[in-house]
Amino acid sequence: AQSVSQHNHHVILSEAASLELGCNYSYGGTVNLFWYVQYPGQHLQLLLKYFSGDPLVKGIKGFEAEFIKSKFSFNLRKPSVQWSDTAEYFCAVNVRAAGNKLTFGGGTRVLVKP
Amino acid sequence: DAGITQSPRHKVTETGTPVTLRCHQTENHRYMYWYRQDPGHGLRLIHYSYGVKDTDKGEVSDGYSVSRSKTEDFLLTLESATSSQTSVYFCAIKAGTNEKLFFGSGTQLSVL
């Protein structure tokens, strides 16, 4: 079965700092990749997704992610964070050959200090 | 929110009691999912449904059952709740063909 690993459980940084969150998955076949965000007290929302094509995908709120197939990675980045980016971020993978089940990583809590 | 409603929003119950959580959608989507969210584990799939009376197990299905007798409702039942089932439960639906999931607002369940 596929698995998803997020390297950092907690990240604390100051406003205007750059953010990079790591995500690795274990399946070698064709995958769809997602980053979801959960703001405090809210449900999950989609930040961005990758299905095919350009491996650098841009999402909402200035986030982007790069799919590196050789490294089984899909890292999330934002050049300059804001206090409002404080949230929990989840990487998720859907293996196309395995039906419609989405596997999530353990999440990374990001705290942006004003 | 893609027309998803979860009920109840909060529930406190005792060990050994049955509990049913309801997920209701208004847009006739075929795929519905139940996840639980726990610190350090992210979201883990409990069960999912790909149509009326068509369900399948996820990675943490033990202790849970589901039913989908109508397109719009997907019920999650804990036959005999245990403290390890204290969690936040999210329902999700898959809208369209782009694999995107929309999540409900969650149910906070505490089993004492």
Side-chain angles (χ1 to χ4, degrees):
Chain A
Q2 68 269 26
S3 65
V4 182
S5 299
Q6 292 184 237
H7 314 300
N8 309 99
H9 295 297
H10 294 90
V11 172
I12 302 174
L13 60 168
S14 300
E15 277 193 311
S18 63
L19 173 70
E20 180 161 1
L21 303 181
C23 173
N24 285 90
Y25 61 94
S26 64
Y27 186 73
T30 303
V31 295
N32 298 321
L33 299 157
F34 306 80
W35 275 97
Y36 282 83
V37 59
Q38 186 177 26
Y39 297 104
Q42 298 186 26
H43 55 80
L44 280 83
Q45 305 168 47
L46 183 68
L47 262 184
L48 49 79
K49 61 184 185 292
Y50 172 81
F51 289 168
S52 63
D54 188 345
L56 184 63
V57 293
K58 296 192 182 298
I60 60 172
K61 305 188 181 186
F63 284 91
E64 64 179 30
E66 184 175 14
F67 171 50
I68 302 180
K69 189 174 182 179
S70 61
K71 296 184 178 180
F72 301 94
S73 70
F74 190 55
N75 293 353
L76 180 71
R77 297 193 292 254
K78 184 169 183 177
S80 176
V81 295
Q82 301 172 310
W83 174 79
S84 57
D85 293 321
T86 292
E88 191 161 14
Y89 294 81
F90 295 92
C91 181
V93 173
N94 167 253
V95 175
R96 297 186 196 178
N100 290 280
K101 294 183 285 187
L102 203 60
T103 301
F104 285 83
T108 300
R109 287 183 183 266
V110 174
L111 173 63
V112 180
K113 298 185 294 183
Chain B
D1 64 359
I4 307 171
T5 305
Q6 287 186 234
S7 59
R9 292 294 308 278
H10 303 273
K11 186 167 181 67
V12 180
T13 191
E14 294 183 347
T15 299
T17 60
V19 177
T20 295
L21 308 183
R22 179 180 183 236
C23 178
H24 178 79
Q25 56 135 334
T26 58
E27 299 182 0
N28 280 329
H29 295 295
R30 181 181 172 194
Y31 288 92
M32 299 183 75
Y33 306 80
W34 276 108
Y35 286 89
R36 59 178 288 175
Q37 183 181 20
D38 303 287
H41 292 279
L43 282 87
R44 292 179 291 176
L45 182 64
I46 305 171
H47 282 278
Y48 70 105
S49 170
Y50 44 96
V52 173
K53 298 186 179 175
D54 290 324
T55 65
D56 204 353
K57 295 179 180 180
E59 61 184 299
V60 290
S61 59
D62 288 348
Y64 301 94
S65 62
V66 289
S67 67
R68 186 133 178 238
S69 58
K70 299 183 291 184
T71 299
E72 58 266 35
D73 288 324
F74 191 33
L75 305 180
L76 177 70
T77 297
L78 292 66
E79 301 290 348
S80 178
T82 66
S83 58
S84 64
Q85 293 175 311
T86 292
S87 185
V88 180
Y89 291 85
F90 285 97
C91 174
I93 59 102
K94 186 157 73 88
T97 58
N98 65 3
E99 309 289 337
K100 179 178 178 179
L101 291 188
F102 289 91
F103 287 85
S105 299
T107 297
Q108 173 73 60
L109 176 66
S110 297
V111 183
L112 305 178

